[in-house]
Amino acid sequence: MPEFVKFNSDKQSVEVPGTRTEGATGHYRHAAFPDGPLDYIRQDPQIKTLYDLFQNSVTKYGNNDFLGHRPYDAATKTYGDYTWQTYGQIDKRVDAFGSGLMHLNSAIMGSTQLNRWPVGIWALSRPEWFITEMSCNYFNLVSVALYETLGPDAVEYVMNHAEIPIVVCSGNHVASLLEISDKVPGMKAIISMDSLQEVPTAPNTASAPQVLRSWAAGKGIQLFDFAEIEALGALHPHKHILPAENEVASLCYTSGTTGQPKGAMLTHKNFIAAVSSNMEFFILSPSDTLISFLPLAHIMGRYIDTLCTYGGMRIGYFKGDINTLLDDIALLKPTFFPAVPRLLNRIYAKLIAATVEAPGLVGVLARRAVAAKLANLEAGLGTQHAVWDRLLFNKIKAVLGGNVQLIVTGSAPIAKEVLSFLRIAFGCVIVEGYGSTESMGTAILTAHDEKKAGIIGAPRSGCDVKLVDVADMNYRSTDLPYPRGEICLRGGHIIDGYYKDEKNTRDAIDDEGWLHTGDIGTVDEIGRFTIIDRKKNIFKLAQGEYVAPEKIENQLASRCSLIQQLFVHGESLENSLVAIMIPEPETFLPFLQAQLGLRAPAITDVAAITTLCQNPKVNALILKELGKAGRAAELRGFEMIKRVYLSTDAFSIENGLLTPTLKVKRPQVQKHFEEQIKDMYADIHATTPVAKL
């Protein structure tokens, strides 16, 4: 089980004397590491690169289970139990696959570039993803992660921008790559993670692999499957080409909400610094198991898998369907569960509905149980309760397999009440992290024994933090009682810049190496940071008040279980905010039935749900609920939603309203719902009394 290092909770970070400058606080460091950021692994200082890291684990844990997956039986159309390969077995596969890549590049494709060339990876999290990326580290190549949900335009852009000659992908993407091959002239080969071996077919018919191979040949593209490249490498072994710590290990393209994605250059040193920063605070061991389902194209999923690899853990991959993730968890019984707020909010909403909001005796007992455990948590008595755990919470723990000891959440804020409830419901440590692709996903983290919700904690051992004035939003480092300003980060985990993009590099990282995050934070008297606003994506209302819509969306969504998606909008000529809301059918329909007595249709009956959304009584009730959530979040008057449009037209990657990392494309959503926004403001004007002169 994970072990947690204990530090002085009364002083979590300190401001380094003599580091204050005009318009900024001094540099804050974790109180246990005041002498400077720690960017190497103290237990294993010889580890400089990802190659070193994995070789260290192979040496220590060679015979231990490492990567697990659930094989699919095509005959029965079912998934089996987890099967495992050891660290030593994966090492041999990495060596073979990497040698196969090298032979393909030089002997078959005729390239004279021996190393530093990019390899694209386009798939969900699975063992072949790890093997491909680690093969790049064995031969000093550069992995380029492609989001599983990227559309053809974005794939085309990244392929051309990074000049990728070989793409390793899941079988479902082979045809997509062949379709755009004319627009991606640099692509010379595709390797399918899924088998392309022929299967018996009816006479005079072509199997899918035959069709794909013929299509690829006609395009002049080399097409192989994963096993073929491994076999090729076994026949033609290559000597490893060791990377240097300051060389780029991977390009991670951030999914911009407006322009084209930017390729963050992640060095080996960045990865090692990220591992170091976390190993100082919790210790993972071979007895631990990770459920890996976060996209490995996203930095959070990648650095967590790297951290667990260093710790000698088992990593079990989900079978690829987020809707059946709990089935995988029930089988795997992980001890470590990384998550994102969107998933935790949905788990919270379902648990609340089944416990404290349940009718009758179940609800009465659940409310008493939750109140008792929350009181214990606030009093510093931990998350366990002898009576209530046995009667109620052990059943809830079983939802995550029963063994989870550590949940890490990040990528967006999570509400205080959600965090507190999940801590006592699962009886485990839940820490909230803060970071971005540019900071390797890790910079600030709450302490494992933190009682207060809503904060993001103290800097990691490898990170300096300072707050810089944002004068036009009236946030200053001299504010009382606590300094406020834009959060800036510096350390070995911060990227050097964006690939082929000097302008955006200069905009993000200043001459002293500080990453300007765009997030507004404050730091309290014991050195804990809290996110309070967002510098980017802000607008000014007619009365001169600045509004950060993302902050409001997060606050409302975490406090109102009826929300699946929310878009808050305001304009400089208007005094108030309006919103587009996509209801969560699982909670929305029972709520309407209970409150209005309306007959609830099936959650799959989109037409019936759309009709309910257009009902004025339903709209008025939802607006009232948004008001309750806004008051609970202590939103200011001008931050409250005055009109809402309910729709079943969900924001998605397919309709261009979400990025591959599920961030809202604000200009596109505004354009998509342009008429509804106009109508809401027209209704506000029509019903607002005209002030007398």
Side-chain angles (χ1 to χ4, degrees), residues 469-476 479 484 518 520 532-536 538-539 546-548 636:
D469 291 357
V470 184
D472 58 353
M473 296 178 70
N474 202 29
Y475 293 122
R476 302 183 188 278
D479 286 346
R484 302 186 300 175
I520 308 298
I532 58 173
D533 214 331
R534 179 72 179 156
K535 184 178 178 182
K536 298 176 183 178
I538 63 171
F539 50 77
Y546 282 98
V547 173
R636 293 169 289 182

Side-chain angles (χ1 to χ4, degrees), residues 91-101 135 229-234:
D91 174 47
K92 291 178 180 178
R93 291 191 65 187
V94 169
D95 183 62
F97 186 78
S99 292
L101 282 178
S135 296
I229 297 299
E230 287 189 76
L232 195 64

Side-chain angles (χ1 to χ4, degrees), residues 114-170:
L114 295 180
N115 59 21
R116 309 304 304 146
W117 46 273
V119 177
I121 310 176
W122 192 12
L124 290 167
S125 303
R126 54 190 289 178
E128 292 83 3
W129 215 111
F130 178 92
I131 292 168
T132 302
E133 182 188 32
M134 192 53 67
S135 296
C136 292
N137 299 325
Y138 274 37
F139 297 97
N140 201 10
L141 308 179
V142 180
S143 64
V144 183
L146 298 169
Y147 284 96
E148 172 68 12
T149 48
L150 279 176
D153 292 343
V155 170
E156 178 187 333
Y157 173 80
V158 173
M159 292 282 293
N160 287 326
H161 188 262
E163 302 177 72
I164 299 172
I166 298 176
V167 182
V168 184
C169 66
S170 51

